[in-house]
Amino acid sequence: MALNRRNFLKVGLSGAAMAVGGTTLASCTGKPASTEAAPAAQFAGIPYQSAQLNLSLQEGVAPGDSLNEKLDFMEKNGVVGLEPGGGDLAKRVNELKQALNGRNIKISAICAGFKGFILSTDPKVRQECMDTMKEILAAAGELGSVGVIIVPAFNGQKPCMPHTQETRDFLCEQFNELGNFAHEHGTTVIFEPLNRKEAFYLRQVADAASLCRDINNPGVRCMGDFWHMSWEETSDMGAFISAGEYLQHVHVASLKRRSMPGEDGEADNYVEGFKGLKAIGYNKYVSFECGCQSEDKAAAVVNALNLLRKQWEEA
């Protein structure tokens, strides 16, 4: 076996696991055969069995011409989370509450929707980001969302602060303020790492998790996106394990064209990442953020849901 970076990390994780109770982590070897095996199958004290695959669709991904049609489709196919965009979310709170009433579907995360960006050199642009984020966070809390996704800066957003320690310190200060606001409203603000073609500042899950650790605020968390991770991570399993308790949300798409999972064939293998999620007892949402190549979108979504459920069981 060629010892490339990805294989090196896999070997390192397996070796580390051998030190836990003299056995390998269950996340690397499959689900424990019985509840008696569970104590040996823990990572950071979190039971392996607590992990759960809660599937979510972004509002634009769900098939249907209206919100109720989308929710009907989701409910029929066992999807338990809806991820709306953050734009004008405050105006939609009642609409979303009424549509979800009596259904086995909840709001998962809120996808961005803020204005400005937090790493702008222009104080007015930074303030616009803070103000619009707080408006979305308040609405997210009212809807019971797990959090609002934010990217500190995209490549095209300029003028932007340089990638320095001072910028990192500033980001921590700003997100501590946002985290306090989010926590007061019963939700979180979620860092999203992107691939290098979309963002220069934050590209790996471990980097986002280290910000969460240093900020040390219950209202600040991070996420991983399988599409972006395919560019930046040496190991999907290692990336999720590195996030641990700070992982609040996950995005999924096909791994070549960012389409529906399964539409890129054998390339769409999420088992390694799912092993990482199981290792940390992840029980929040895995949400579709993707396009669709098929003319029959509904069938493509169903196939994707089935694929993820199958690979979750294999992990």
Side-chain angles (χ1 to χ4, degrees):
M1 179 179 70
L3 195 61
N4 57 30
R5 293 177 70 191
R6 183 177 290 265
N7 287 331
F8 178 81
L9 184 50
K10 288 181 181 178
V11 171
L13 286 169
S14 297
M18 290 298 292
V20 182
T23 186
T24 305
L25 279 174
S27 61
C28 303
T29 60
K31 183 176 284 188
S34 67
T35 55
E36 287 75 18
Q42 294 185 3
F43 186 88
I46 302 172
Y48 180 91
Q49 283 97 333
S50 68
Q52 186 174 341
L53 181 64
N54 296 312
L55 292 169
S56 166
L57 298 180
Q58 286 192 339
E59 192 170 354
V61 173
D65 295 327
S66 68
L67 177 57
N68 279 322
E69 285 183 11
K70 293 173 184 288
L71 294 173
D72 287 343
F73 173 89
M74 292 166 61
E75 205 161 40
K76 178 181 177 182
N77 290 282
V79 177
V80 296
L82 173 70
E83 182 181 326
D88 292 325
L89 185 66
K91 298 177 181 178
R92 300 191 63 202
V93 169
N94 289 335
E95 173 202 0
L96 290 165
K97 279 186 172 182
Q98 290 174 10
L100 294 174
N101 186 38
R103 294 183 184 270
N104 188 33
I105 300 173
K106 296 181 180 179
I107 299 295
S108 56
I110 307 298
C111 189
F114 56 92
K115 298 178 182 178
F117 67 107
I118 203 68
L119 292 184
S120 173
T121 58
D122 186 339
K124 292 181 180 179
V125 175
R126 295 199 302 267
Q127 191 61 49
E128 182 181 38
C129 179
M130 291 290 286
D131 292 344
T132 54
M133 270 296 293
K134 287 180 178 179
E135 181 180 318
I136 298 168
L137 284 165
E142 196 171 348
L143 289 167
S145 169
V146 298
V148 179
I149 299 166
I150 184 172
V151 175
F154 289 89
N155 284 340
Q157 292 180 314
K158 298 178 181 179
C160 187
M161 295 180 181
H163 198 319
T164 63
Q165 182 63 48
E166 289 75 17
T167 298
R168 191 183 191 279
D169 293 342
F170 173 82
L171 190 67
C172 288
E173 291 174 2
Q174 298 298 298
F175 270 76
N176 189 49
E177 179 181 338
L178 279 176
N180 287 336
F181 186 89
H183 189 58
E184 288 170 4
H185 287 81
T187 188
T188 68
V189 56
I190 304 173
F191 281 115
E192 180 177 21
L194 304 182
N195 73 72
R196 66 198 73 180
K197 288 194 173 184
E198 296 187 36
F200 78 95
Y201 188 81
L202 190 64
R203 300 197 303 267
Q204 291 188 309
V205 175
D207 289 338
S210 72
L211 283 166
C212 296
R213 177 202 62 201
D214 292 353
I215 296 168
N216 192 27
N217 188 312
V220 181
R221 292 295 183 260
C222 67
M223 63 172 289
D225 182 313
F226 275 100
W227 161 252
H228 295 296
M229 290 164 61
S230 71
W231 291 70
E232 302 295 340
E233 304 290 353
T234 55
S235 166
D236 291 344
M237 178 172 65
F240 286 137
I241 289 175
S242 75
E245 65 183 298
Y246 301 115
L247 191 71
Q248 189 78 350
H249 195 57
V250 173
H251 276 164
V252 67
S254 74
L255 299 179
K256 287 186 176 181
R257 295 176 291 177
R258 204 176 188 181
S259 188
M260 204 64 62
E263 289 193 324
D264 284 338
E266 293 183 0
D268 294 340
N269 190 321
Y270 310 96
V271 172
E272 182 192 2
F274 285 167
K275 286 179 179 179
L277 295 179
K278 286 189 171 184
I280 63 172
Y282 183 78
N283 58 9
K284 297 180 178 67
Y285 295 94
V286 175
S287 189
F288 285 42
E289 183 181 58
C290 57
C292 183
Q293 301 295 319
S294 174
E295 293 183 3
D296 189 344
K297 184 179 183 180
V301 174
V302 171
N303 290 337
L305 294 170
N306 290 336
L307 174 68
L308 295 187
R309 289 173 178 135
K310 177 177 179 291
Q311 292 191 4
W312 181 264
E313 290 302 316
E314 293 172 359

